[in-house]
């Protein structure tokens, strides 16, 4: 197991390092000089030089990169020059909100996938099957910005029963009922495509499992079909659903940008959006790297979990 | 001893006609016919109607997409303005029609750009181990950027706009087609008929052209329809958060973004563009499903 994890690490590290160089390099190419932006158009050359040396902009690029990389590890990310405040505080503030939203969305998606997927396989009714396929296609086909706007239209404008956006004013823990009201629409919006995707994987791998010889044997021995689905096919089908979930969760920050914009949810996604619209590139830089790091980490965890659940992978190398 | 000196017996193998093993039993006409029945037909109709509406926008649109009509502020849908008017007195139907055109432009440029580049990189890199390893790492890195995050990074550097949207979609598609073609190349290489071809002296190029490409056509076809759906989504998402098509130019995403700011004053405004985006994405996905199902049977 450890050896398997170790074999996956180098390529993950390569991706992370190259991505960090790309992100750092790309944002150096942005037209405009941060020193001029900070000091204003009429600053004297001396003032500009002072700001440059304070920000380290007069040092060689590779030195600036290493310094930036080091600062990521110490947590001292510097100050945001346009939004204001320290970048670390901004990121931490948004992180909690995004993590709460993403967790709710993923939990929702997993519950939907298990109920709908197992239900569809258990009933074996053509109608249920067609319904699941149809709902699934629609869940996948509705872009987040479409489903989000529709949810607001229906549940906040037409029937004003839920808040159209924002976070619970008293924090998440104070009043769980109010928290749920604020959380339900954005969580559905973010979780719906995830649910659609993992449900499809679950149904397909359940069907594959049910076609295996051991199922026939169990049936011949008189084990009820429901029991086989729940206790034999489902555990065997879970790893592939987990992989699909991992891919979706890895890109959750991308979806969060949209969902947080629609529901004015002050998380990392809206921080990225603010950073872009106000050209606050040090903030954007950190968030881009964070997004890639989350993606790589989730992939790694998914692979490891998959290997832990499926011995063929860690022994055989490739299946 | 005598056996060794015997003249080699002519092996009774019929000279293989190259054409026999190329198509691998794909009746191509029947495969595309999947688009004309069942859900494939539904998808084709959805996409067809939207494409026609976009192409005919100059004929169909009652107003110019940028024209501000005096006194027509945030009107609900009625006979004069089927989809209502927006905050700055523009006719939403005309904007949706012209916005659809912009989306079609994105589709016909970005998707082929990404598909062709990705396929070429995937095919060519599979020719040697070194280039294969490098290409795989590059694909890994590209895939580590969720598409909207990639859009944000590029918009920061190149600025928002049509070109950025096209570039982002193409870049996001490259690793997908690269992996697809590489996979096809590796799988086909293991096939007995390709081994046989190599033994009788077929070169790597010949194998690529005669065996790998024909085998990859169908999965690439399915992927293209999926990519078209993704492209509509990416344009919409980028324009929605302000890093795509810039106002006042219409695009499906920017019209939805406009309508959201007026959601309380005029809820009906969002419905038109939402319906068009949904019809396009759903249509392409249904086509993809039909094509994929057509492959299996």
């Amino acid at each position: 197991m450890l050896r398997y994890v170790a074999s996956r690490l180098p390529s993950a590290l390569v991706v992370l390092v190259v991505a960090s160089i790309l992100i750092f390099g790309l944002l150096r190419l942005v037209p405009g000089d941060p020193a001029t932006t900070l000091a204003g158009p009429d600053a004297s050359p001396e003032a500009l030089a002072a700001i440059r040396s304070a920000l380290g902009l007069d040092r060689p690029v590779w030195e600036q990169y290493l310094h930036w990389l080091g600062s990521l590890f110490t947590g001292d990310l510097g100050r945001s020059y346009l939004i204001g405040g320290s970048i670390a505080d901004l990121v931490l503030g948004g992180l909690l909100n995004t993590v709460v939203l993403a967790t709710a969305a993923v939990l929702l998606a997993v519950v939907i996938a298990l109920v709908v997927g197992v239900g569809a396989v258990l009933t074996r009714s053509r109608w249920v099957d067609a319904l699941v396929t149809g709902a699934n296609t629609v869940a996948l086909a509705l872009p987040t910005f479409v489903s989000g706007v529709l949810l607001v239209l229906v549940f906040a404008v037409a029937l004003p029963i839920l808040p159209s956006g924002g976070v619970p004013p008293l924090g998440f823990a104070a009043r769980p009922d109010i928290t749920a009201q604020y959380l339900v629409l954005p969580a559905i919006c973010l979780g719906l495509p995830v649910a659609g995707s993992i449900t499809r994987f679950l149904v397909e791998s359940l069907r594959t499992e049910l076609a295996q010889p051991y199922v026939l044997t169990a049936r011949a021995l008189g084990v009820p079909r429901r029991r086989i689905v729940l206790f034999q096919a489902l555990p065997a089908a879970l790893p592939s659903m987990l992989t699909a979930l991992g891919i979706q969760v890895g890109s959750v920050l991308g979806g969060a940008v949209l969902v947080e914009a629609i529901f004015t949810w002050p998380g990392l996604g809206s921080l990225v959006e603010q950073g872009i619209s106000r050209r606050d590139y040090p903030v954007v830089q950190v968030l881009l790297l964070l997004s890639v790091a989350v993606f790589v980490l989730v992939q790694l965890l998914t692979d490891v979990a998959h290997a832990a659940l499926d011995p063929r992978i860690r022994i055989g190398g490739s299946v | 001893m005598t056996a060794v000196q015997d003249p080699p017996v002519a092996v009774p193998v019929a000279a293989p006609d190259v054409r026999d093993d190329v198509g691998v039993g794909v009746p191509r006409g029947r495969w595309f016919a999947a688009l004309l029945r069942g859900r494939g037909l539904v998808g084709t109709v959805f996409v067809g109607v939207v494409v026609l509406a976009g192409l005919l926008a100059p004929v169909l649109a009652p107003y110019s997409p940028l024209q501000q009509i005096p006194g027509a502020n945030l009107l609900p849908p009625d006979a004069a303005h089927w989809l209502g008017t927006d905050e700055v007195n523009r006719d939403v139907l005309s904007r949706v029609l012209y916005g659809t055109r912009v989306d079609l432009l994105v589709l016909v440029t970005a998707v082929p750009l990404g598909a062709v580049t990705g396929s070429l990189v995937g095919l060519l890199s599979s020719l040697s181990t070194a280039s294969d390893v490098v290409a795989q790492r590059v694909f890994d890195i590209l895939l580590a950027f969720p598409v909207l995050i990639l859009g944000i990074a590029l918009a920061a550097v190149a600025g928002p706009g049509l070109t950025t949207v096209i570039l982002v979609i193409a870049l996001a598609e490259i690793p997908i087609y690269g992996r697809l073609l590489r996979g096809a190349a590796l799988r086909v290489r293991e096939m007995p008929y390709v081994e046989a071809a190599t033994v009788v002296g077929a070169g790597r190029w010949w194998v690529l052209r005669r065996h790998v490409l024909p085998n990859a056509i169908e999965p690439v076809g399915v992927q293209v329809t999926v990519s078209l759906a993704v492209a509509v989504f990416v344009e919409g998402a980028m324009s929605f958060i302000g890093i795509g098509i810039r106002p006042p130019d219409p695009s499906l995403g920017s019209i939805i973004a406009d309508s959201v700011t007026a959601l309380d004053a005029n809820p009906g405004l969002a419905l038109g563009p939402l319906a068009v985006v949904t019809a396009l994405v759903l249509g392409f996905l249904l086509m993809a499903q039909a094509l994929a199902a057509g492959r299996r049977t």
Side-chain angles (χ1 to χ4, degrees), chain B residues 241-261:
Chain B
I241 59 171
I243 56 173
I245 316 295
R246 301 292 286 169
D249 289 339
S251 83
L252 293 175
S254 69
I255 302 169
I256 294 177
D258 285 348
S259 73
V260 167
T261 53

Side-chain angles (χ1 to χ4, degrees), chain A residues 16-311:
Chain A
L16 262 185
V17 170
V18 177
S20 72
I21 294 175
L22 275 180
I23 290 167
F24 186 82
L26 266 181
L27 293 179
R28 293 285 112 168
L29 297 176
V30 170
D33 173 8
T36 329
T37 322
L38 263 184
D42 342 300
S44 64
E46 292 80 33
L48 282 181
I51 292 178
R52 281 208 187 95
S53 88
L55 292 176
L57 293 171
D58 51 351
R59 278 178 284 169
V61 175
W62 62 268
E63 218 181 296
Q64 293 182 39
Y65 168 73
L66 287 182
H67 181 257
W68 177 63
L69 212 57
S71 74
L72 290 176
F73 286 103
T74 59
D76 174 21
L77 304 174
R79 298 186 67 74
S80 145
Y81 35 81
L82 293 169
I83 299 176
S86 94
I87 296 181
D89 287 346
L90 284 175
V91 171
L92 281 180
L95 191 64
L96 173 69
N97 289 338
T98 299
V99 166
V100 169
L101 174 59
T103 312
V106 168
L107 283 179
L108 189 73
V110 170
V111 170
I112 293 179
L114 287 177
V115 171
V116 174
V118 173
V121 171
L122 273 182
T123 58
R124 281 195 291 184
S125 141
R126 278 189 60 205
W127 288 106
V128 174
D129 199 50
L131 199 72
V132 167
T133 315
N136 193 37
T137 307
V138 172
L140 283 174
L142 276 184
T144 320
F145 55 94
V146 173
S147 61
V149 174
L150 281 178
L151 285 171
V152 172
L153 260 180
V154 175
F155 294 105
V157 178
L159 319 161
I161 48 174
L162 289 170
S164 70
V167 282
L170 299 173
F172 292 114
R175 291 278 306 275
D177 53 329
I178 295 181
T179 300
Q181 285 178 16
Y182 277 90
L183 208 49
V184 61
L185 292 186
I188 291 178
C189 185
L190 190 59
L192 205 61
V194 181
S197 156
I198 62 177
T199 308
R200 205 189 55 198
F201 273 93
L202 182 64
V203 169
E204 273 179 20
S205 53
L206 273 179
R207 296 233 163 94
T208 315
E209 284 304 323
L210 288 176
Q212 299 286 323
Y214 73 79
V215 172
L216 196 64
T217 311
R219 289 292 283 149
L221 289 172
V223 184
R225 186 168 183 274
R226 176 186 301 255
R227 219 186 136 73
I228 299 176
V229 170
L230 287 179
F231 296 104
Q232 298 191 309
L234 187 61
L238 280 181
S240 75
M241 184 181 101
L242 196 73
T243 310
L245 184 67
I247 293 169
Q248 298 282 324
V249 171
S251 50
V252 82
L253 194 53
V257 176
L258 280 174
V259 175
E260 291 178 5
I262 297 167
F263 294 96
T264 52
W265 190 269
L268 294 181
S270 35
L271 193 58
V272 180
E273 204 201 344
Q274 267 186 63
I276 282 287
S277 63
R278 301 169 74 167
R279 301 181 169 271
D280 199 335
Y281 294 120
V283 176
V284 176
Q285 197 164 277
V286 170
L287 290 174
L288 287 179
L289 189 63
L290 185 68
S291 163
V292 174
V294 167
F295 184 86
V296 172
L297 192 70
V298 171
Q299 290 284 280
L300 200 66
L301 287 178
T302 310
D303 283 348
V304 170
H306 199 156
L309 292 173
D310 190 341

Side-chain angles (χ1 to χ4, degrees), chain B residues 20-161:
Chain B
D20 283 349
D21 63 8
V22 169
V24 204
V26 184
R28 199 138 300 150
R30 211 189 299 159
W31 182 51
F32 280 115
L35 291 180
L36 296 177
R37 53 168 192 264
R39 52 188 159 173
L41 181 63
V42 177
T44 311
V45 169
F46 277 4
V47 170
V49 168
V50 175
V51 168
L52 265 184
L55 290 179
L56 296 177
V59 185
L60 296 175
Y63 298 90
S64 136
L66 303 179
Q67 186 184 345
Q68 301 188 344
I69 304 147
N73 189 21
L74 285 172
L75 292 179
D78 63 16
H81 305 282
W82 289 6
L83 296 179
T85 58
D86 68 6
E87 266 180 319
V88 284
N89 300 11
R90 295 170 302 198
D91 179 54
V92 175
L93 175 65
S94 307
R95 286 183 68 70
V96 169
L97 286 169
Y98 276 97
T100 306
R101 268 166 102 78
V102 175
D103 274 64
L104 295 182
L105 178 67
V106 171
L107 292 186
V108 299
T109 48
V111 173
L113 184 65
V116 171
T117 316
S119 302
L120 279 181
V121 173
L123 269 186
L124 298 184
S125 67
S126 74
L127 286 176
S128 88
T129 318
S131 60
D132 187 47
V133 170
V134 173
Q136 286 305 304
R137 283 295 151 272
V138 173
F139 294 159
D140 280 348
I141 289 158
L142 274 177
L143 285 173
F145 288 85
V147 57
L148 252 192
I149 299 294
L150 188 69
I152 287 169
L154 278 188
V157 180

